[in-house]
Amino acid sequence: MKKYLLPAVEIAPVVIAAALPLFVSLSYQINLYLTWEGAFRLYEGQIPYRDFGMPMGYCYWILPAIFFKLFGPYLFTLAKAQAFIHLVSGLSFRWILLRVGASFKVRLLSMLIFSLTYVLGLIWPQYNHSVIVFQFTALGFILQYLLGQEVKYKWLYLGGGCFFLVYSFLIKQDGGGLGILVATALICYSCIELRSPKP
């Protein structure tokens, strides 16, 4: 029981902070129409940059469009998509903390601060936020590759990290590019430390 209790306690602040906006009356956010329109156009089967143009990368709308398919093209569906994005960010952040060897107390306090500062204040999807979330996920995969136990298909973690780095780059190029540079620096450092170009 304790095996599952401690992770549940760590994840609880993120779950509560992510779900809380779903139970209150939500205020409209400026530029929310960009998120809704891009996701709606994908939901309708239109293809970005052929049928419509937008100032962001098209990967930003994929997740909201999936939620439109599941729950219908309503404004409140975007809040549900954002709650899911928050859960992904919290789990990815915890994964990073686990890989760097943070203790339970440090992880719990970090998750609490993360929930209060990064999760709670954002109730609608934003590309500036989504790009960072998928970088967290990518860094979780890369740190699992670099610091995890030896497994037969360890390279899949590196592949997963690369996938989410490209995904974040196709959400927003400047933030995604920064994530690629951070991941490259981690891998280069690992190569220097191991004295091997294999990573």
Side-chain angles (χ1 to χ4, degrees):
M1 183 70 173
K2 189 177 179 182
K3 178 182 177 183
Y4 300 106
L5 182 63
L6 294 181
V9 169
E10 289 176 41
I11 296 167
V14 172
V15 172
I16 293 167
L20 196 60
L22 301 178
F23 298 100
V24 297
S25 180
L26 302 174
S27 60
Y28 184 82
Q29 181 182 356
I30 192 168
N31 294 332
L32 187 57
Y33 70 92
L34 289 171
T35 305
W36 191 88
E37 184 173 347
F40 183 75
R41 287 174 179 265
L42 286 181
Y43 165 80
E44 289 284 302
Q46 295 183 30
I47 297 173
Y49 309 119
R50 189 189 76 183
D51 299 324
F52 68 99
M54 283 282 182
M56 295 93 91
Y58 64 90
C59 281
Y60 168 59
W61 300 306
I62 292 175
L63 202 55
I66 291 170
F67 272 74
F68 277 4
K69 286 285 187 189
L70 295 173
F71 302 107
Y74 308 110
L75 201 58
F76 189 66
T77 303
L78 293 178
K80 293 176 184 178
Q82 184 60 33
F84 177 77
I85 290 170
H86 283 317
L87 291 176
V88 170
S89 71
L91 292 173
S92 299
F93 185 62
R94 181 179 178 271
W95 193 11
I96 291 169
L97 292 171
L98 284 168
R99 287 300 100 218
V100 298
S103 68
F104 170 74
K105 290 179 184 177
V106 170
R107 290 195 310 265
L108 181 61
L109 186 59
S110 298
M111 293 294 280
L112 185 61
I113 293 169
F114 181 81
S115 301
L116 293 174
T117 59
Y118 194 72
V119 174
L120 194 58
L122 190 61
I123 54 177
W124 300 111
Q126 282 197 357
Y127 61 93
N128 288 329
H129 175 264
S130 297
V131 67
I132 301 300
V133 167
F134 291 109
Q135 284 177 29
F136 283 161
T137 307
L139 290 176
F141 274 102
I142 288 170
L143 288 173
Q144 182 70 36
Y145 171 78
L146 296 174
L147 304 174
Q149 302 294 327
E150 279 294 327
V151 292
K152 187 175 181 181
Y153 299 106
K154 191 176 179 181
W155 59 270
L156 288 173
Y157 291 117
L158 187 60
C162 292
F163 171 81
F164 283 107
L165 285 171
V166 170
Y167 191 88
S168 69
F169 182 78
L170 294 175
I171 291 174
K172 192 167 187 280
Q173 287 72 34
D174 56 352
L178 180 62
I180 290 171
L181 291 175
V182 169
T184 303
L186 286 172
I187 291 171
C188 288
Y189 177 79
S190 177
C191 289
I192 293 167
E193 189 179 64
L194 295 173
R195 296 182 181 178
S196 167
K198 188 177 177 183

